[in-house]
Amino acid sequence: MNFTRWSARLPGTQRRAAARTDLGISPPQRAESSVPAARAEGGQEGTTLTPAAGVDELPTREVLDRIPALVALVHGPEHRIAYVNDAYATAFGDRPVGEPARDALPELEELGLLPLLDQVLRSSKPRTVKSRKAASGRSYTFTCTPVTLPVSGSAAGLKDDGVLVFAADVTDHAEAAERLRASERTQRETAVTLQRSLLPQELEQPDDLRIAATYQPGGTEAAVGGDWYDVITLGGGRTALVIGDVMGRGVRAAAVMGQLRTAVRAYARLDLPPHEVLQLLDGLATEIDAMQIATMVYAVHDPNEGSLTYASAGHLPILVRDEGGTIHRAEEPTGPPLGTGGWLHTSGSVPLGPGSTAVLYTDGLVERRSEDIDEGVASLERALAGATGTPQVVCDRLIRALGVTADHDDDVAVLVLQHPARKGLDAELFRNAALELLGGVEAAPRARAFATGVLASWRFPPELHDLGVLAASELVANSLQHGTPPMRLRLRRTDRRLIIEVTDGDDHLPRRRRAEPADEAGRGIAIVATIASNWGSRRTPGGGKAVWCEFALPRSD
């Protein structure tokens, strides 16, 4: 056989550039050999034998017998056994020479190597399979190399094609790799559990919106990231919608995500404009982890405005499909990611009228290694244009349309919200009425008369009717005393609550306080807070404030 064709593939040998002499299989007895001297005896002084000459003189049979790895030699189309070394016999038992491999080498068939032997014979190219586990529990890496063997007893020097099977025991490496994979699986499961526990277990469902969300962790080969979403009811019919992505992977990213999500909910209770919320979060993100940054969109839906007011910290744009099917992309304004510090964010708005659907998402949905992210966003726009149904159905269709599968290489979070176009009897449950408060103190009786008539027309129960009129009267009186024009009273009903709101031009927010018996003022907000289900105040864009309260409607059969 040609020793040089496979010897370079044995561990510890080097490729030789010079041609080698073809050596046949040695007889069963071991030949004696010695290492050649560095200089020839009796030769001309200074003449040195080359190392290649010494290697060529090594008996091949003795080399194979001494190799600690497993070696088997087969020949012919049936892969008949020509030779197995002592290490192979120790691992799998003695094997009869001359028998076909399918009968005499069952371990190769169990490991799926017989087709590989056929492939090596056909192509005359070596093939390797890594870390195959035998029935004994040991793992081997097999290298199958084509060789040429002389036909035994042939005087004409006939030769036959064969395959040298070389198996290196890699059990320790395989077990270490399996322990590493098990550790990584445990860490990933921990991160996924932490991630899911920090996400909302049940989304809040506002009166005016229908919302669904989907979170899908990356595949088993991808570490869990810090994607999250949230829906926060602000009161007065307004809703905050959040989606974000903490850069990085694993438990640390999930932990940072949890801290940011908690902070967002706390800042949302202040009912600040979106860009001010991001400014507060930017400083907090630096304090949580100076090496960690996050992208985020914070948006607020106000049913009275019919739009989404939002601010973005380096996040992907919101997409909105209007009632006619046209896709709107919320471009600017945007700012740098949270945790970079020193930048001012700004708020923008995108229309969200009845019949509209909006999508907030993380980069795992649209980012691919083979294409620009703008192409992914464009693909999402096309998918959204044809995605109809409930918010959850839209979520699922977008996930499928963008090719997100269980083995996706990144986390994906999607938040879909719809502003239903209400018609018929359903529309009767959602009503609005407003009154401009003109003049001085005479505006108070006009406001009471207006509230009395509107609430009567909406057919509220007498008790709720009276409480609503009282609350409207107190809020108007408070605004007339402490606020500045322009002033407005707005009444709004949904299928769940009655909302009363008064706006004026003064940005000083009222607070609830205990009024002493001798005080002539300070009881209005206290009365409203006592009789209403909830109340609050906020500053309005362009200056001024809004003070609101709401009453839960009795559930009807």
Side-chain angles (χ1 to χ4, degrees), residues 205-427:
Q205 292 293 335
D207 298 357
D208 296 272
L209 299 177
R210 297 294 175 263
I211 301 177
T214 295
Y215 169 74
Q216 181 170 313
T220 55
E221 300 299 324
V224 175
D227 295 14
W228 92 93
Y229 56 82
D230 208 348
V231 178
I232 308 167
T233 300
L234 301 178
R238 301 166 73 250
T239 307
L241 305 127
V242 187
I243 197 158
D245 184 1
V246 176
M247 302 303 175
R249 301 292 178 88
V251 174
R252 181 57 186 166
V256 172
M257 176 275 288
Q259 296 177 76
L260 286 178
R261 177 174 175 259
T262 301
V264 170
R265 295 191 71 87
Y267 291 145
R269 300 304 175 191
L270 300 176
D271 214 341
L272 299 171
H275 65 276
E276 293 189 21
V277 173
L278 292 191
Q279 289 298 133
L280 293 172
L281 289 170
D282 185 37
L284 181 64
T286 305
E287 295 177 9
I288 292 174
D289 190 338
M291 304 301 294
Q292 201 85 299
I293 63 174
T295 64
M296 193 186 97
V297 168
Y298 181 86
V300 176
H301 174 253
D302 189 337
N304 297 315
E305 303 296 334
S307 64
L308 274 179
T309 302
Y310 69 93
S312 173
H315 204 78
L316 294 166
I318 301 171
L319 300 182
V320 177
R321 185 188 67 211
D322 63 22
E323 190 174 17
T326 303
I327 302 296
H328 303 273
R329 181 189 296 194
E331 297 285 357
E332 299 292 343
T334 187
L338 303 177
T340 56
W343 292 84
L344 293 177
H345 295 82
T346 55
S347 294
S349 65
V350 59
L352 189 73
S356 298
T357 299
V359 178
L360 291 76
Y361 52 97
T362 57
D363 59 0
L365 182 65
V366 296
E367 189 173 31
R368 302 291 181 271
R369 298 178 187 273
S370 58
E371 63 183 26
D372 188 81
I373 195 168
D374 287 336
E375 297 179 12
V377 176
S379 298
L380 179 59
E381 289 181 341
R382 291 190 293 270
L384 178 59
T388 58
T390 65
Q392 188 59 59
V393 170
V394 173
C395 272
D396 297 339
R397 289 181 175 178
L398 295 181
I399 291 288
R400 290 195 302 269
L402 272 294
V404 178
T405 59
D407 58 351
H408 196 58
D409 61 357
D410 196 5
D411 289 18
V412 175
V414 182
L415 183 66
V416 174
L417 56 136
Q418 293 179 343
H419 186 184
R422 306 185 188 279
K423 300 177 181 179
L425 294 177
D426 192 30

Side-chain angles (χ1 to χ4, degrees), residues 60-306:
T60 305
R61 176 63 177 270
E62 183 175 358
V63 172
L64 297 178
D65 283 340
R66 291 174 178 267
I67 290 177
L70 282 58
V71 177
L73 187 63
V74 298
H75 68 94
E78 293 184 329
H79 309 300
R80 295 183 178 276
I81 301 176
Y83 166 80
V84 295
N85 70 348
D86 293 340
Y88 195 103
T90 301
F92 296 112
D94 292 330
R95 296 293 183 259
V97 175
E99 294 295 321
R102 186 172 298 278
D103 299 328
L105 298 175
E107 61 276 1
L108 297 187
E109 184 172 12
E110 293 173 1
L111 295 170
L113 294 180
L114 293 184
L116 188 67
L117 298 180
D118 295 333
Q119 184 180 2
V120 171
L121 276 184
R122 288 194 304 268
S123 65
S124 297
K125 294 181 180 179
R127 295 288 187 271
T128 299
V129 291
K130 296 182 179 180
S131 192
R132 292 287 177 91
K133 193 170 185 178
S136 63
R138 308 295 294 178
S139 296
Y140 301 92
T141 289
F142 290 87
T143 298
C144 299
T145 305
V147 295
T148 302
L149 303 175
V151 177
S152 178
S154 172
L158 298 178
K159 295 185 178 182
D160 193 8
D161 292 332
V163 179
L164 180 75
V165 180
F166 180 86
D169 192 327
V170 294
T171 304
D172 292 342
H173 294 277
E175 291 177 350
E178 180 56 35
R179 288 193 298 271
L180 179 60
R181 286 193 293 269
S183 175
E184 290 175 346
R185 285 194 299 269
T186 300
Q187 292 183 11
R188 184 179 184 278
E189 290 170 0
T190 301
V192 170
T193 301
L194 176 62
Q195 176 88 347
R196 290 194 181 278
S197 67
L198 294 174
L199 291 173
Q201 301 305 303
E202 185 176 352
L203 286 179
E204 298 180 25
Q205 292 293 335
D207 298 357
D208 296 272
L209 299 177
R210 297 294 175 263
I211 301 177
T214 295
Y215 169 74
Q216 181 170 313
T220 55
E221 300 299 324
V224 175
D227 295 14
W228 92 93
Y229 56 82
D230 208 348
V231 178
I232 308 167
T233 300
L234 301 178
R238 301 166 73 250
T239 307
L241 305 127
V242 187
I243 197 158
D245 184 1
V246 176
M247 302 303 175
R249 301 292 178 88
V251 174
R252 181 57 186 166
V256 172
M257 176 275 288
Q259 296 177 76
L260 286 178
R261 177 174 175 259
T262 301
V264 170
R265 295 191 71 87
Y267 291 145
R269 300 304 175 191
L270 300 176
D271 214 341
L272 299 171
H275 65 276
E276 293 189 21
V277 173
L278 292 191
Q279 289 298 133
L280 293 172
L281 289 170
D282 185 37
L284 181 64
T286 305
E287 295 177 9
I288 292 174
D289 190 338
M291 304 301 294
Q292 201 85 299
I293 63 174
T295 64
M296 193 186 97
V297 168
Y298 181 86
V300 176
H301 174 253
D302 189 337
N304 297 315
E305 303 296 334

Side-chain angles (χ1 to χ4, degrees), residues 18-40:
R20 297 288 190 261
T21 304
D22 289 343
L23 300 177
I25 296 295
S26 302
Q29 66 271 17
R30 307 261 175 109
E32 295 182 0
S33 64
S34 60
V35 178
R39 298 178 182 273

Side-chain angles (χ1 to χ4, degrees), residues 511-528:
R511 59 185 179 86
R512 184 180 180 181
R513 64 185 179 89
R514 179 188 294 273
E516 299 298 332
D519 292 344
E520 296 182 359
R523 295 181 176 83
I525 295 299
I527 292 174
V528 170

